[in-house]
Amino acid sequence: MAAVQDGGSEPEGEKEPQPELPSDGSSAPAATPASKPEEQQQQQQQTLLAVLQFLKRNKLIESVDALRREAGLADEPDEAPGSEAGGGVGGAAAGSADSADASALLSRVAGAAQSGAASAPAKGGEDQPDVSVVLSAYSQQGDPSLYQVYYSGLKKFIESVLDCHRAELSQLFYPLFVHMYLELVYNNHESEAKAFFEKFSGDQECYYQDDLRVLSGLTKKEHMKGNETLLDFRTSKFVLRISRDSYQLLKRHLQERQNNQIWNIIQEHLYIDIFDGMPRSKSQIDSMSGSLAGEARREANKAKVFYGLLKEPEIEVPLDDEDEEAENEEGKPKKKKPKKDSMGSKSKKQDPNAPQQNRIPLPELKDSDKLDKIMYMKEATKRIRLGPETLPSICFYTFLNVYQGLTAVDFTDDSSLIAGGFADSTVRVWSVTPKKLRKVKSAADLSLIDKESDDVLERIMDEKTASESKILYGHSGPVYGVSFSPDSLWATDHYQPLRMFAGHLGDITCTRFHPNSNYVATGSADRTIRLWDVLNGHCVRVFTGHKGPIHSLAFSPNGKYLASGSTDGRVLLWDLGHGLMIGELKGHTDTVYALKFSRDGEILASGSMDNTVRLWDAFKAFDDVETDDFTAATGHIHLPDNSQELLLGTYLTKATPVIHLHFTRRNLLLAAGSYNSQ
């Protein structure tokens, strides 16, 4: 793989006005290799200080100590002599001594395979990196009156090349437009910047319109210093994936025209990932484009992912009471031996793609956990096998009179309880079975209970408090997520985070744990999906292709695939092992807020703000993908346009957006949303 490596920014007086363009077939050289390490080290130290300040301000002392231990820091950097006056990591006394440790610590904190310096804590207020350092690259500029000429010349050239190269080279338009505009604004050429924006902003792809609206508000140099979108765009190189033939055409054109202004921006702000082979088509490029920082680098998706399921513990399932006794030929009752569930026995085989059983320390099953698993296995024997000819029944729970205040919903795994989070900061829990919700008796009454009795769990409950719902108070703002813990994997004995994952360039909008508990997927407003290794915090997958913030994620039951939904109304399917998009489901006309696979993985259900639930043939979608089509060199495949073939059914509500979906253990589909009277 060849790539245009980044060129670090440098002081204004040290940069040549017209760097020589490369004339051979090698990748473009870095502009200033001598200054790059110093700048990166400075940014790393600033980011490290921001992380530590963020943790200390939130009183997460244990997390601070854990991070210091991982890097082997002897002293707290911001407690070193002179640190408060100096404002840097360790101040004048400890800045150089801890630089290597700071770099080691930061590499573990970031854990991001694609972006280095853009970690979540490094945003806003006193925690953000030095803005003057981040924006310093824009201090180098040419004649402002020629920016339109430079851009128009490149545009004219790209539009004149063959169609096969035009689609790939057109990816340059958006990042070059943004950086040229910002360079004009930074150097106080306001009128030229306005004219440049008005002339070329309409040429950009439609999925960048939200970013362009933010960019249009940056008309003065002062506006740039506090803008998070700008900092994200500047600190993370925009990634373009281009074939070698297309890249050679671009380089030859820039050499002939001596267009150094364009070449400087490519060196400093873009990362061109060059591959050998045929150029990609427009549809292939569009399917992977749209994120804030371009496409994912190919090396970001090459780490080994253990997507297989863990071996299930050996649990014997007794027969139901009505079948426990059977008469033999003499008419005498005969006890039958407990038998193992057939569904459970299949999952007890070791999956070759599964991680080691002890890779993540999981707690041992308690007796109550074993009883729950036995109940699950019993119900699994009565599960309906879904498919195109056997679609699930759907039960919809509509929240009335909430005035659009419902923000989150969840069901328990056994489908006995439903919880809702609301904008008024409350959490409400309902029982959807005849069994009512009760409080525990007072301490005085509990002391009178026989703790050895078989029904002790029933006796401790106060029947006087029984009701169909309960309201939980405690939050001071809108509740955007609710979740029932299916068992004790969740650590509640620490109030500090056990692991931090930093790397997204925008807010985290949804999360989902992998079925084997070794990975967690996150969707973000930066329009990317990341898969994180829980063991070490590393980002092992970066998926791009959505044109809006991601709001829903779902893993297939076998752990091999991931489905994602976004404000663009599309559902994308991903192969975790190969790190590639393998399917696109189109049909929704609004944000896809809910995704859920059936228990057997045959059906994928999607719920949207367009007031519909759609069912898709997941088995066919994955079965039609041939692994031979995976092109490791180019990192893409030909996506079939078969959404209508995979769509099994569309179910409309009267006026209720769908914000949550849940398959019961017997494959009944439950859906929930709040009625919209407007």
Side-chain angles (χ1 to χ4, degrees):
M1 178 190 76
V4 175
Q5 300 296 329
D6 64 294
S9 60
E10 57 182 344
E12 184 171 358
E14 297 179 6
K15 187 169 182 179
E16 293 294 331
Q18 290 190 355
E20 181 181 357
L21 297 179
S23 59
D24 57 5
S26 61
S27 59
T32 55
S35 63
K36 181 178 176 181
E38 288 81 357
E39 180 184 339
Q40 287 183 340
Q41 187 179 71
Q42 182 181 6
Q43 289 182 344
Q44 288 177 345
Q45 291 175 349
Q46 290 170 344
T47 307
L48 170 62
L49 178 62
V51 172
L52 293 175
Q53 286 178 343
F54 173 81
L55 294 175
K56 291 196 67 176
R57 187 167 59 252
N58 289 274
K59 299 181 180 180
L60 303 176
I61 307 301
E62 291 186 11
S63 297
V64 173
D65 294 339
L67 294 177
R68 288 174 57 236
R69 283 194 301 270
E70 285 191 32
L73 292 178
D75 297 313
E76 185 87 30
D78 55 353
E79 292 178 356
S83 61
E84 294 185 2
V89 179
S96 60
D98 287 340
S99 61
D101 291 334
S103 300
L105 174 59
L106 185 64
S107 66
R108 293 189 176 106
V109 172
Q114 179 182 6
S115 61
S119 58
K123 289 185 184 178
E126 61 184 0
D127 288 338
Q128 69 181 23
D130 188 352
V131 178
S132 61
V133 175
V134 173
L135 300 178
S136 61
Y138 293 132
S139 62
Q140 309 301 323
Q141 42 122 4
D143 186 348
S145 63
L146 296 179
Y147 274 50
Q148 291 193 28
V149 177
Y150 296 149
Y151 193 88
S152 298
L154 180 66
K155 181 181 176 184
K156 184 177 180 181
F157 160 72
I158 292 178
E159 290 176 346
S160 67
V161 299
L162 296 176
D163 292 346
C164 61
H165 301 297
R166 184 187 309 151
E168 287 195 324
L169 294 179
S170 295
Q171 299 177 82
L172 289 163
F173 288 148
Y174 176 68
L176 287 176
F177 168 80
V178 172
H179 286 295
M180 294 178 76
Y181 173 77
L182 293 176
E183 199 167 273
L184 289 170
V185 173
Y186 182 82
N187 291 284
N188 297 313
H189 303 300
E190 296 180 17
S191 59
E192 290 85 351
K194 181 179 179 181
F196 183 84
F197 189 92
E198 290 178 351
K199 184 171 183 178
F200 299 113
S201 60
D203 297 337
Q204 311 307 318
E205 296 286 355
C206 60
Y207 41 78
Y208 291 125
Q209 293 306 309
D210 290 340
D211 297 336
L212 292 175
R213 277 193 288 271
V214 175
L215 194 66
S216 64
L218 301 175
T219 58
K220 297 180 181 294
K221 183 177 180 179
E222 295 76 24
H223 298 165
M224 301 174 68
K225 294 185 177 180
N227 189 278
E228 290 187 0
T229 302
L230 168 61
L231 291 176
D232 290 338
F233 198 85
R234 172 62 188 91
T235 56
S236 193
K237 290 183 179 293
F238 197 93
V239 180
L240 306 175
R241 191 175 299 168
I242 296 178
S243 66
R244 185 171 299 279
D245 291 342
S246 298
Y247 174 69
Q248 294 294 343
L249 280 176
L250 172 67
K251 188 169 65 172
R252 191 178 306 117
H253 168 76
L254 296 178
Q255 286 174 342
E256 293 173 354
R257 299 299 178 92
Q258 285 296 304
N259 197 335
N260 300 304
Q261 195 67 34
I262 297 291
W263 187 253
N264 289 340
I265 293 177
I266 291 176
Q267 277 192 300
E268 295 177 357
H269 303 298
L270 275 59
Y271 180 96
I272 299 183
D273 191 353
I274 302 174
F275 63 88
D276 294 310
M278 294 293 294
R280 294 187 297 171
S281 65
K282 182 69 164 63
S283 61
Q284 288 176 321
I285 294 173
D286 286 343
S287 67
M288 304 300 295
S289 302
S291 80
L292 190 62
E295 296 189 41
R297 302 184 186 184
R298 280 179 294 166
E299 62 265 25
N301 293 329
K302 289 186 176 180
K304 173 70 174 178
V305 172
F306 302 99
Y307 57 81
L309 303 184
L310 297 174
K311 184 179 179 181
E312 289 287 345
E314 295 286 340
I315 299 178
E316 293 187 343
V317 182
L319 296 174
D320 293 333
D321 293 339
E322 61 269 21
D323 296 331
E324 194 170 276
E325 292 186 356
E327 293 187 358
N328 58 14
E329 295 179 356
E330 289 78 13
K332 296 180 180 179
K334 177 182 178 182
K335 292 275 186 177
K336 285 190 176 180
K337 295 182 180 180
K339 67 177 182 180
K340 295 182 180 179
D341 173 57
S342 58
M343 294 291 292
S345 61
K346 293 182 181 179
S347 60
K348 289 171 185 174
K349 297 180 180 179
Q350 184 65 40
D351 190 330
N353 296 303
Q356 293 293 326
Q357 198 75 13
N358 58 352
R359 187 173 185 267
I360 297 293
L362 300 176
E364 294 185 2
L365 292 180
K366 301 177 182 178
D367 291 341
S368 58
D369 299 327
K370 294 180 180 179
L371 291 176
D372 289 340
K373 282 192 173 291
I374 290 174
M375 184 62 66
Y376 175 84
M377 292 177 181
K378 283 184 176 181
E379 292 196 60
T381 61
K382 304 174 183 178
R383 179 182 302 159
I384 298 175
R385 184 64 181 264
L386 301 180
E389 306 300 327
T390 311
L391 298 180
S393 298
I394 304 176
C395 177
F396 200 99
Y397 290 86
T398 303
F399 290 74
L400 301 174
N401 303 319
V402 296
Y403 307 105
Q404 297 183 339
L406 181 68
T407 51
V409 176
D410 192 31
F411 290 89
T412 54
D413 187 69
D414 63 1
S415 309
S416 62
L417 300 176
I418 181 174
F422 293 86
D424 63 0
S425 75
T426 63
V427 176
R428 300 168 187 258
V429 183
W430 288 267
S431 172
V432 293
T433 66
K435 190 175 182 179
K436 295 185 177 181
L437 303 176
R438 299 163 294 173
K439 293 183 178 179
V440 179
K441 291 181 178 178
S442 63
D445 293 336
L446 290 175
S447 63
L448 303 177
I449 295 177
D450 181 10
K451 300 180 178 57
E452 303 299 326
S453 61
D454 295 336
D455 59 346
V456 63
L457 295 179
E458 285 293 324
R459 294 190 180 191
I460 64 175
M461 308 306 296
D462 188 354
E463 292 295 337
K464 298 178 182 178
T465 62
S467 63
E468 294 182 352
S469 66
K470 297 291 183 183
I471 303 178
L472 308 179
Y473 298 97
H475 291 288
S476 57
V479 180
Y480 290 111
V482 293
S483 178
F484 288 101
S485 175
D487 48 37
S488 57
L489 299 174
W490 196 260
T492 57
D493 54 343
H494 294 77
Y495 61 89
Q496 286 89 1
L498 300 181
R499 185 73 68 206
M500 292 195 308
F501 307 106
H504 278 294
L505 303 181
D507 294 337
I508 307 299
T509 48
C510 55
T511 60
R512 188 71 61 193
F513 271 93
H514 190 274
N516 66 20
S517 304
N518 279 249
Y519 303 94
V520 60
T522 56
S524 171
D526 66 8
R527 308 188 285 276
T528 69
I529 303 155
R530 289 175 178 260
L531 186 70
W532 308 88
D533 192 330
V534 174
L535 179 65
N536 50 37
H538 292 168
C539 180
V540 294
R541 291 289 182 270
V542 181
F543 296 134
T544 64
H546 278 295
K547 308 303 185 284
I550 289 87
H551 282 280
S552 54
L553 296 168
F555 285 102
S556 61
N558 63 6
K560 187 176 182 180
Y561 304 106
L562 175 68
S564 59
S566 168
T567 58
D568 59 16
R570 298 153 64 224
V571 177
L572 300 184
L573 306 177
W574 311 90
D575 184 292
L576 298 181
H578 293 87
L580 295 174
M581 182 196 301
I582 57 173
E584 177 185 19
L585 306 178
K586 295 181 291 187
H588 285 293
T589 59
D590 207 334
T591 302
V592 179
Y593 257 105
L595 288 171
K596 198 70 175 181
F597 282 94
S598 61
R599 297 281 178 156
D600 49 22
E602 301 281 332
I603 301 292
L604 173 64
S606 60
S608 170
M609 297 296 287
D610 63 7
N611 304 340
T612 66
V613 174
R614 294 175 185 261
L615 301 180
W616 311 88
D617 190 341
F619 177 82
K620 179 176 175 57
F622 299 136
D623 190 58
D624 287 349
V625 176
E626 296 290 340
T627 56
D628 294 339
D629 293 339
F630 291 178
T631 308
T634 57
H636 63 267
I637 62 172
H638 297 277
L639 294 178
D641 187 10
N642 58 349
S643 295
Q644 293 304 313
E645 298 177 16
L646 300 177
L647 182 62
L648 300 178
T650 301
Y651 306 89
L652 285 77
T653 66
K654 183 177 181 180
T656 305
V658 184
I659 66 172
H660 189 74
L661 295 169
H662 173 79
F663 276 98
T664 69
R665 293 172 176 176
R666 300 188 185 186
N667 270 338
L668 168 68
L669 179 58
L670 307 182
S674 60
Y675 179 75
N676 186 0
S677 59
Q678 296 181 354

